Amino acid sequence: MESYLPKDVHYDPAIPRPEQVLGWTVGEWHARHDQIVAWCRALASASPRVRLEGYGTTHEDRPLMLAVVTSPANHARLEALRAAHVESVLAGADVAAGPEVVWLGYGVHGNEPSASNAGLVVLYHLAAATGPEFEAFLERTIIVLDPCLNPDGHDRFAQWANSHRGRQLVSDPAHREHQETWPGGRTNHYWFDLNRDWLLLVHPESRGRVAAFQRWMPCVLTDHHEMGTDSTFFFQPGIPSRVNPLTPSRNIELTRALAEHHADALDGLGSLYFSEENFDDFYYGKGSTYPDIQGCIGILFEQASARGHLQENSYGGVSFPSAIKNQVAVSLSTLRGVDALRSELSAYQRASFQSAREDAATLTEAAYVFGDPSDPTRTRALADLLQRHGISVHRLAQDVVQGGAHFAAREGFIVPLAQPQSRLIRAVFETRQAWDDNTFYDVSSWNLALSFGVPFAACPREGFAQDVVGAAFDAAAPEPAEVQLDPAAVAYAIDWSDSASGRGLTTLLQCGVRARVATQSFDAQTSHGARSFARGTVLVPNGSQDLAPPALEAALRACARDGVAVHAITRGLTPSGVDLGSASFRPLELPRPLLLVGDGVSSYEAGEVWFELDARLGIAVTQVPVSALTHLDLARYTHLLLVTGAASGWGDELTSIVRAWVQRGGVLIATRGAAPEIAQRYLSKAVAPAQAEATDATTRLTYGDYDELRGAQRIAGAIFELELDLTHPLAFGYDRPLVPIFRSSEQLLPMGSDPFAVPARYTTRALLSGYASAENVARIAESPALRAERLGAGTVVCMADDPLFRGIWHGTRKLHTNALFFGRAIQRTGRVEGVRRDEGASELDQDD
């Protein structure tokens, strides 16, 4: 281990070394997460400098923990120091309140293992290094060290690498050790990239980590990664032209100052490196950029990866120990840099929040309001997410009419900009469509209100009244869902507009309740008076249940606990609309879905579907590789779910097998990259979409122009607008036709001949936020975003985009849920001669 550590430092022999706990030298094997935890606990037990803090568990119940390292004297009053530090930072106090806080974060991607293994060595150094100078450093510094941000993915890769390690290390890139199987260890349990989840907070790893970040408010945060094998080492700053406009310029100046220390450290090792290339500082949802808008310096480190223990590259090869050594070196150079720049970093952090408040006072907006009375679950979820980022969210004390929308008191929320996190508020609410550099490493827009599909508006400063700001939102005090249970009820009804309805319906169906969906609107008499019910209402008829009344009542109460209002209908003859015995109420069944996974399939998109059904809806999902599809008894499954890559390379046999299964009643749902392929195979009279014009052949271009031109034509994650056909089953539960959707592809769905089979299409001016070229925006305008057609007794649904993007696109989740539950309710339609598309109306075909 000596090769990793500074040569001029002595170490306390009473503190155990890693090999004494692990049984081998760091870098010889890939440490499993349980071994990392055991090592941290051993140090915390042996050293008065180290204290462990848990911040949650992963999906696989692995503990998430921080090692907090400082002097014993600081530990004796640690909570007081922490609270004073945070108060000083948020208040913008001129004088530092105590020790500076530094965050070292390792291994958000599980198959980038030099990060977490380096954390073992760094923690030993911090616990055992001796000498007056080092101990004085600990008096003025608190180090918060996260040894493994993604334990589930980390263990998946560690098991792979260790199980393929021989006594003789094999550096051949073709060796199995360097070619981990699908889905790989990069992602978490549900195959999500946790380094894109800092802002979205979909997963417990991110929610716990960001809560800890807000609790500690570090001045510097390091984010240790690995990149491709044939490279060297990268540290920030990134590409100068690709910095978010809301990031203060002083942030980049201090990042460059810290970079001098990294360069010194790597020069001392003879390691090659680069900076200001490849990576950007734009999307605030990554570990290295989330801190940048909150007075903290986020630093990305990227080490060439051995993807195992030893691998060849054009620089002479990279070994696991050498990768660890570089990560240790820049960890320690970060601490040296923080110590050298202590006053500058402290002044910047405190000035950042103060200047944010000052900037907010000059804006034309004073606050943002948002709310959706038809979906309180989704509205509260947005308020909760904002609050988790240290943003103050309040109830509306009075009605507000803004931006053509009405936000009702007690149903809407308001976020004043006069608060420390005003820059972050602007970042998550802004809609921007142009930048100086239109090439993006990740997405170009992440407006959270648009992702939730919740109406929002900016409140102008002129005329803004502070008395509209009501009580602070309390996420811990949810409002219970209304439940009416009446012995005289002939049926129970569930409004489909709330986001909790899908989970509630799953609960009912799993309890054995018979349910139907209304394909037409109706009015009915309930225990609490007359009420109107929209298309998509779920009806539970009392008289057709096999369950005894107490069991049905228990199932309805369980549905209400999921957050769904239950209404008791007391008469089957309705005042208007269809009666309860009408065939317009279509039967529902619990889905038995089959998700195609494996080589060639997007693990990110497959993980989103798995997470949505398994974790959110509570539906068990069978996962099989595409190659197994020809050997399965498809009659076991009601739905076949395809994401990008799952429909590629199908031969005639597989195409015929799936066609026959759909014709017998199956529902095929294809999203994003799979959708055009499935549409071409199964939807009627598909016509290929017009292709974008090629580059003018007369234009003289250089090889160096390619990246810029290609980047300008990519849709690198932007928000577009859909117009829904609210009468269609895929749009049940929506009460507004215009819905934002995330788009990250230039592909279009082919046009079809059936004008009634397009539940959603892009609007004429579809780009809402983010970057897309004018050519792409024009090409996408009014093209189909969804197509859904009957094929025999079954249904084929194609969605051009990913409605479950990163688990955060709550505004379009319902489209996928509707396809899952209501796919069989879609009726056969076709062209009606002499009727234009906007004059036609789909008639229910009672024979299908």
Side-chain angles (χ1 to χ4, degrees), residues 58-292:
T58 70
H59 288 294
E60 297 178 17
D61 286 326
R62 291 185 173 89
L64 296 159
M65 64 169 54
L66 302 172
V68 181
V69 186
T70 189
S71 70
N74 286 342
H75 270 304
R77 53 193 183 105
L78 189 63
E79 177 54 26
L81 288 173
R82 184 205 63 77
H85 165 75
V86 172
E87 182 181 1
S88 171
V89 166
L90 295 180
D94 293 334
V95 180
E100 286 302 313
V101 179
V102 184
W103 184 298
L104 304 178
Y106 300 95
V108 73
H109 292 145
N111 62 357
E112 298 175 4
S114 65
S116 287
N117 283 267
L120 301 176
V121 180
V122 174
L123 188 55
Y124 171 75
H125 172 77
L126 295 175
T130 62
E133 185 177 342
F134 188 77
E135 289 163 13
F137 165 76
L138 291 179
E139 287 288 346
R140 54 182 182 263
T141 314
I142 298 171
I143 301 101
V144 179
L145 188 150
D146 191 333
C148 188
L149 284 74
N150 178 10
D152 295 348
H154 175 92
D155 270 11
R156 201 156 63 238
F157 181 76
Q159 176 66 22
W160 176 268
N162 287 338
S163 65
H164 292 92
R165 179 193 188 278
R167 287 189 173 89
Q168 312 307 316
L169 301 185
V170 180
S171 62
D172 183 351
H175 178 46
R176 182 170 168 80
E177 178 185 4
H178 309 308
Q179 304 292 330
E180 58 178 324
T181 55
W182 193 97
R186 176 182 176 89
T187 51
N188 78 340
H189 173 78
Y190 282 105
W191 310 333
F192 278 67
D193 184 341
L194 292 179
N195 197 41
R196 304 301 187 271
D197 199 42
W198 282 75
L199 192 62
L200 313 180
L201 303 187
V202 172
H203 296 279
E205 300 93 332
S206 308
R207 290 195 295 270
R209 184 187 338 111
V210 164
F213 176 93
Q214 296 294 338
R215 173 175 151 77
W216 280 105
M217 297 301 288
C219 68
V220 170
L221 180 147
T222 65
D223 185 26
H224 295 256
H225 290 254
E226 289 184 352
M227 54 184 165
T229 300
D230 196 28
S231 190
T232 57
F233 194 96
F234 167 85
F235 51 79
Q236 285 181 312
I239 299 172
S241 61
R242 299 182 194 169
V243 176
N244 194 293
L246 290 173
T247 300
S249 59
R250 181 61 173 156
N251 178 287
I252 305 303
E253 293 170 4
L254 288 168
T255 303
R256 287 198 176 96
L258 288 166
E260 295 293 332
H261 294 269
H262 311 322
D264 288 344
L266 294 173
D267 283 343
L269 296 177
S271 298
L272 295 175
Y273 54 85
F274 65 97
S275 188
E276 298 190 330
E277 292 182 60
N278 292 15
F279 302 96
D280 68 24
D281 299 287
F282 186 74
Y283 169 50
Y284 285 131
K286 298 185 296 182
S288 60
T289 48
Y290 178 77
D292 287 344

Side-chain angles (χ1 to χ4, degrees), residues 555-594:
L556 291 167
R557 289 191 184 280
C559 178
R561 285 195 295 273
D562 288 329
V564 182
V566 177
H567 305 278
I569 298 178
T570 57
R571 187 168 177 79
L573 184 66
T574 64
S576 63
V578 294
D579 295 323
L580 299 194
S582 167
S584 295
F585 289 91
R586 294 286 174 154
L588 298 172
E589 63 178 334
L590 183 66
R592 301 186 305 277
L594 180 66

Side-chain angles (χ1 to χ4, degrees), residues 186 193 195-196 280 282-286 439-446 714-718 742 805-806:
R186 176 182 176 89
D193 184 341
N195 197 41
R196 304 301 187 271
D280 68 24
F282 186 74
Y283 169 50
Y284 285 131
K286 298 185 296 182
T439 303
F440 302 94
Y441 183 79
D442 200 84
V443 299
S444 63
S445 183
W446 55 87
R714 283 181 63 233
I715 299 178
F742 187 85
F805 180 70
R806 291 183 181 168

Side-chain angles (χ1 to χ4, degrees), residues 496 500-510 515 538 559 588 821-822:
W496 194 249
S501 301
R503 180 79 184 210
L505 177 56
T506 300
T507 296
L508 290 177
L509 296 176
Q510 288 173 338
V538 172
C559 178
L588 298 172
F821 285 113
F822 305 151

